[in-house]
Short mmCIF file of all heavy atoms in Angstrom, two decimals:
data_model
loop_
_atom_site.label_atom_id
_atom_site.label_comp_id
_atom_site.label_asym_id
_atom_site.label_seq_id
_atom_site.Cartn_x
_atom_site.Cartn_y
_atom_site.Cartn_z
N GLY A 187 -42.85 9.97 -32.27
CA GLY A 187 -42.19 9.03 -31.39
C GLY A 187 -41.45 7.99 -32.23
O GLY A 187 -41.78 7.77 -33.40
N GLN A 188 -40.43 7.37 -31.66
CA GLN A 188 -39.67 6.35 -32.37
C GLN A 188 -39.30 5.21 -31.44
O GLN A 188 -39.15 5.38 -30.23
CB GLN A 188 -38.39 6.95 -32.96
CG GLN A 188 -38.61 7.88 -34.14
CD GLN A 188 -37.31 8.32 -34.77
OE1 GLN A 188 -36.42 8.82 -34.10
NE2 GLN A 188 -37.18 8.13 -36.07
N GLU A 189 -39.17 4.05 -32.05
CA GLU A 189 -38.74 2.87 -31.30
C GLU A 189 -37.31 3.06 -30.83
O GLU A 189 -36.49 3.67 -31.51
CB GLU A 189 -38.85 1.65 -32.20
CG GLU A 189 -38.56 0.33 -31.54
CD GLU A 189 -38.69 -0.83 -32.51
OE1 GLU A 189 -39.64 -0.82 -33.33
OE2 GLU A 189 -37.84 -1.74 -32.46
N GLY A 190 -36.98 2.53 -29.66
CA GLY A 190 -35.62 2.62 -29.14
C GLY A 190 -35.49 1.80 -27.87
O GLY A 190 -36.47 1.58 -27.16
N SER A 191 -34.27 1.35 -27.59
CA SER A 191 -34.04 0.47 -26.44
C SER A 191 -33.33 1.15 -25.28
O SER A 191 -33.33 0.62 -24.17
CB SER A 191 -33.21 -0.75 -26.88
OG SER A 191 -33.89 -1.49 -27.85
N ALA A 192 -32.68 2.28 -25.53
CA ALA A 192 -31.95 2.96 -24.46
C ALA A 192 -32.92 3.51 -23.41
O ALA A 192 -34.06 3.83 -23.71
CB ALA A 192 -31.10 4.09 -25.03
N GLY A 193 -32.43 3.62 -22.18
CA GLY A 193 -33.26 4.12 -21.10
C GLY A 193 -32.92 5.54 -20.71
O GLY A 193 -31.89 6.09 -21.12
N PRO A 194 -33.77 6.17 -19.90
CA PRO A 194 -33.50 7.53 -19.42
C PRO A 194 -32.62 7.53 -18.19
O PRO A 194 -32.45 6.51 -17.52
CB PRO A 194 -34.90 8.04 -19.07
CG PRO A 194 -35.62 6.80 -18.62
CD PRO A 194 -35.07 5.67 -19.44
N ILE A 195 -32.04 8.71 -17.89
CA ILE A 195 -31.44 8.96 -16.58
C ILE A 195 -32.10 10.21 -16.02
O ILE A 195 -32.61 11.05 -16.78
CB ILE A 195 -29.90 9.11 -16.66
CG1 ILE A 195 -29.51 10.44 -17.33
CG2 ILE A 195 -29.27 7.94 -17.37
CD1 ILE A 195 -28.01 10.75 -17.23
N VAL A 196 -32.10 10.36 -14.70
CA VAL A 196 -32.73 11.51 -14.05
C VAL A 196 -31.74 12.09 -13.05
O VAL A 196 -30.96 11.35 -12.44
CB VAL A 196 -34.06 11.12 -13.38
CG1 VAL A 196 -33.88 10.05 -12.33
CG2 VAL A 196 -34.78 12.34 -12.81
N THR A 197 -31.75 13.41 -12.89
CA THR A 197 -30.78 14.07 -12.02
C THR A 197 -31.46 14.96 -10.99
O THR A 197 -32.61 15.37 -11.17
CB THR A 197 -29.81 14.94 -12.84
OG1 THR A 197 -30.48 16.14 -13.25
CG2 THR A 197 -29.29 14.20 -14.07
N ALA A 198 -30.70 15.28 -9.94
CA ALA A 198 -31.19 16.21 -8.93
C ALA A 198 -31.34 17.62 -9.48
O ALA A 198 -31.99 18.47 -8.87
CB ALA A 198 -30.24 16.23 -7.73
N GLY A 199 -30.78 17.86 -10.66
CA GLY A 199 -30.96 19.14 -11.32
C GLY A 199 -32.30 19.27 -12.02
O GLY A 199 -32.53 20.28 -12.71
N GLY A 200 -33.17 18.29 -11.84
CA GLY A 200 -34.51 18.36 -12.40
C GLY A 200 -34.61 17.93 -13.85
O GLY A 200 -35.58 18.29 -14.53
N LEU A 201 -33.64 17.14 -14.33
CA LEU A 201 -33.56 16.81 -15.75
C LEU A 201 -33.68 15.31 -16.00
O LEU A 201 -33.23 14.49 -15.19
CB LEU A 201 -32.23 17.30 -16.32
CG LEU A 201 -32.00 18.81 -16.26
CD1 LEU A 201 -30.55 19.13 -16.58
CD2 LEU A 201 -32.94 19.53 -17.23
N VAL A 202 -34.26 14.98 -17.14
CA VAL A 202 -34.26 13.62 -17.68
C VAL A 202 -33.52 13.66 -19.01
O VAL A 202 -33.93 14.38 -19.93
CB VAL A 202 -35.69 13.09 -17.88
CG1 VAL A 202 -35.65 11.71 -18.54
CG2 VAL A 202 -36.43 13.01 -16.56
N PHE A 203 -32.41 12.90 -19.10
CA PHE A 203 -31.64 12.81 -20.34
C PHE A 203 -31.92 11.46 -21.00
O PHE A 203 -31.96 10.43 -20.33
CB PHE A 203 -30.14 12.91 -20.07
CG PHE A 203 -29.66 14.28 -19.69
CD1 PHE A 203 -29.52 14.64 -18.35
CD2 PHE A 203 -29.32 15.21 -20.66
CE1 PHE A 203 -29.06 15.90 -17.99
CE2 PHE A 203 -28.86 16.47 -20.32
CZ PHE A 203 -28.73 16.82 -18.98
N ILE A 204 -32.06 11.47 -22.34
CA ILE A 204 -32.25 10.20 -23.05
C ILE A 204 -31.90 10.36 -24.52
O ILE A 204 -32.13 11.40 -25.14
CB ILE A 204 -33.70 9.69 -22.88
CG1 ILE A 204 -33.85 8.28 -23.48
CG2 ILE A 204 -34.71 10.66 -23.48
CD1 ILE A 204 -35.15 7.59 -23.12
N GLY A 205 -31.28 9.33 -25.09
CA GLY A 205 -31.05 9.21 -26.53
C GLY A 205 -31.88 8.04 -27.04
O GLY A 205 -33.04 7.89 -26.71
N GLY A 206 -31.25 7.18 -27.88
CA GLY A 206 -31.88 5.93 -28.25
C GLY A 206 -32.78 5.97 -29.46
O GLY A 206 -33.19 4.92 -29.94
N THR A 207 -33.12 7.13 -29.98
CA THR A 207 -34.03 7.21 -31.11
C THR A 207 -33.26 7.28 -32.43
O THR A 207 -32.13 7.76 -32.48
CB THR A 207 -34.95 8.44 -30.99
OG1 THR A 207 -34.15 9.60 -30.74
CG2 THR A 207 -35.92 8.25 -29.84
N ARG A 208 -33.91 6.83 -33.51
CA ARG A 208 -33.22 6.75 -34.80
C ARG A 208 -32.98 8.11 -35.44
O ARG A 208 -32.30 8.19 -36.46
CB ARG A 208 -34.02 5.85 -35.75
CG ARG A 208 -34.00 4.39 -35.35
CD ARG A 208 -34.52 3.51 -36.46
NE ARG A 208 -34.50 2.10 -36.09
CZ ARG A 208 -34.73 1.10 -36.94
NH1 ARG A 208 -35.01 1.37 -38.20
NH2 ARG A 208 -34.69 -0.15 -36.53
N ASP A 209 -33.54 9.16 -34.87
CA ASP A 209 -33.26 10.49 -35.41
C ASP A 209 -31.92 11.04 -34.91
O ASP A 209 -31.57 12.20 -35.20
CB ASP A 209 -34.39 11.47 -35.08
CG ASP A 209 -34.68 11.57 -33.59
OD1 ASP A 209 -33.86 11.10 -32.78
OD2 ASP A 209 -35.74 12.12 -33.24
N SER A 210 -31.17 10.21 -34.18
CA SER A 210 -29.81 10.57 -33.73
C SER A 210 -29.79 11.85 -32.91
O SER A 210 -28.88 12.67 -33.04
CB SER A 210 -28.85 10.69 -34.93
OG SER A 210 -28.75 9.47 -35.62
N LYS A 211 -30.77 12.01 -32.04
CA LYS A 211 -30.82 13.16 -31.15
C LYS A 211 -30.58 12.70 -29.70
O LYS A 211 -30.93 11.60 -29.31
CB LYS A 211 -32.19 13.85 -31.24
CG LYS A 211 -32.55 14.39 -32.62
CD LYS A 211 -31.83 15.68 -32.93
CE LYS A 211 -32.25 16.26 -34.27
NZ LYS A 211 -33.68 16.63 -34.33
N PHE A 212 -30.00 13.61 -28.93
CA PHE A 212 -29.82 13.43 -27.49
C PHE A 212 -30.58 14.56 -26.83
O PHE A 212 -30.37 15.74 -27.17
CB PHE A 212 -28.33 13.45 -27.14
CG PHE A 212 -28.03 13.11 -25.71
CD1 PHE A 212 -28.67 12.07 -25.06
CD2 PHE A 212 -27.07 13.84 -25.00
CE1 PHE A 212 -28.37 11.75 -23.75
CE2 PHE A 212 -26.77 13.53 -23.69
CZ PHE A 212 -27.43 12.48 -23.05
N ARG A 213 -31.49 14.26 -25.90
CA ARG A 213 -32.44 15.24 -25.40
C ARG A 213 -32.41 15.34 -23.88
O ARG A 213 -32.06 14.38 -23.18
CB ARG A 213 -33.85 14.87 -25.84
CG ARG A 213 -34.08 14.88 -27.35
CD ARG A 213 -35.47 14.36 -27.68
NE ARG A 213 -35.85 14.58 -29.08
CZ ARG A 213 -35.61 13.73 -30.06
NH1 ARG A 213 -34.99 12.58 -29.81
NH2 ARG A 213 -35.99 14.01 -31.30
N ALA A 214 -32.83 16.52 -23.39
CA ALA A 214 -33.03 16.74 -21.96
C ALA A 214 -34.42 17.31 -21.76
O ALA A 214 -34.82 18.27 -22.43
CB ALA A 214 -31.97 17.70 -21.40
N PHE A 215 -35.16 16.73 -20.81
CA PHE A 215 -36.51 17.15 -20.50
C PHE A 215 -36.60 17.62 -19.04
O PHE A 215 -35.84 17.15 -18.18
CB PHE A 215 -37.50 16.00 -20.70
CG PHE A 215 -37.57 15.48 -22.10
CD1 PHE A 215 -36.74 14.45 -22.53
CD2 PHE A 215 -38.45 16.02 -23.02
CE1 PHE A 215 -36.79 13.96 -23.82
CE2 PHE A 215 -38.52 15.55 -24.32
CZ PHE A 215 -37.68 14.51 -24.72
N ASP A 216 -37.55 18.49 -18.78
CA ASP A 216 -37.88 18.88 -17.40
C ASP A 216 -38.61 17.71 -16.76
O ASP A 216 -39.65 17.27 -17.26
CB ASP A 216 -38.76 20.13 -17.41
CG ASP A 216 -38.96 20.71 -16.02
OD1 ASP A 216 -39.15 19.94 -15.05
OD2 ASP A 216 -38.96 21.95 -15.90
#
C-alpha cells in the first residue's frame, strides 16, 4: 500500500478506478 490523496470513482459497469499512488499506476478493481 502507498500514501496518496486522490480518491476513487465508481461506475455502473461494476468498476472502481483510482490512481494517486507513487508507483505511478492507474488501476481498476471489481
Side-chain angles (χ1 to χ4, degrees):
Q188 289 186 307
E189 185 180 319
S191 299
I195 71 171
V196 60
T197 75
L201 298 168
V202 175
F203 288 95
I204 187 168
T207 51
R208 291 193 179 189
D209 56 14
S210 299
K211 299 283 183 63
F212 187 43
R213 297 174 169 90
F215 298 90
D216 189 319

